[in-house]
Amino acid sequence: MADWRHPNQFRRQGGRRVAVEATPFFARKGGEGGFTLIEMMVALAVFSLAALALIRLEGATIRSTGILDQALVAQMVARNVAVETLTDPQPPTLGTTSGTVANGGRNWTWTLNARALGDAGAVAIEIGVAPGAGAPIAQLMVVRSPSAGGTQ
C-alpha cells in the first residue's frame, strides 16, 4: 500500500523512511513571529465589544448631564421664589399661586402652595418648579415665621 504523504513528512532513520507527524498549518517555525489571522480576529472582536461599551457609557453620561443641568436650574428658580416670598413684607396669601419666570435661557413655571401652621401665624410654603408646562422637577418647602419679611 502506497503512502500518499508529502515527501517532507518523512525522515530517514536507520536506512528506512519513517513518517513524521504533520505539524498544524498554524504552527510557527523557530524564528518566525507575529499573529495569526484568527488571533487578530479575536483581538478585534474583544476590542470592538469594549469600544461599544464605552460609547454606551458616554451616551448615558451625556443624558445624565442634561438632566442634572435642568434640575440644578429648577432648584435655583425654586430658591429664588422662596427668597422673594420670605423677604416680602406681606405674608403670602394662603392657597395656590403660580407664575412663570425666565432663568438660564429657559422659561420655568412655578407653583406656590401656602398653608397656615397653627395659630401663631407661621406659614408653610411649598414651591414646585417645572420646565414650561410639564411636571415639577424641583420642589422646595420653607416655613415663614410670623415676624419674617417685615415688621408684624
Side-chain angles (χ1 to χ4, degrees):
M1 181 165 131
D3 196 350
W4 296 101
R5 295 180 190 219
H6 191 271
N8 291 341
Q9 293 176 331
F10 292 98
R11 64 181 167 86
R12 296 247 175 229
Q13 184 178 19
R16 295 185 308 162
R17 275 181 21 155
V18 178
V20 179
E21 273 194 50
T23 57
F25 70 93
F26 55 84
R28 296 188 180 125
K29 303 215 176 2
E32 293 181 13
F35 298 101
T36 63
L37 180 61
I38 301 230
E39 289 171 331
M40 291 301 293
M41 290 176 66
V42 169
L44 284 173
V46 169
F47 175 76
S48 65
L49 289 175
L52 287 174
L54 288 174
I55 289 172
R56 288 187 60 169
L57 178 65
E58 181 181 3
T61 302
I62 290 171
R63 278 190 301 279
S64 296
T65 302
I67 292 168
L68 287 174
D69 175 56
Q70 191 174 24
L72 177 66
V73 176
Q75 282 291 329
M76 285 192 295
V77 170
R79 287 186 194 119
N80 289 344
V81 172
V83 167
E84 288 175 8
T85 304
L86 292 174
T87 58
D88 190 5
Q90 297 298 319
T93 48
L94 300 181
T96 303
T97 312
S98 63
T100 59
V101 66
N103 195 337
R106 292 174 260 185
N107 291 325
W108 301 92
T109 302
W110 56 266
T111 304
L112 185 141
N113 185 14
R115 59 184 168 84
L117 289 177
D119 293 336
V123 178
I125 304 166
E126 297 173 1
I127 302 164
V129 179
I137 60 170
Q139 295 183 350
L140 180 65
M141 182 177 175
V142 294
V143 176
R144 178 181 164 126
S145 68
S147 62
T151 57
Q152 292 181 342

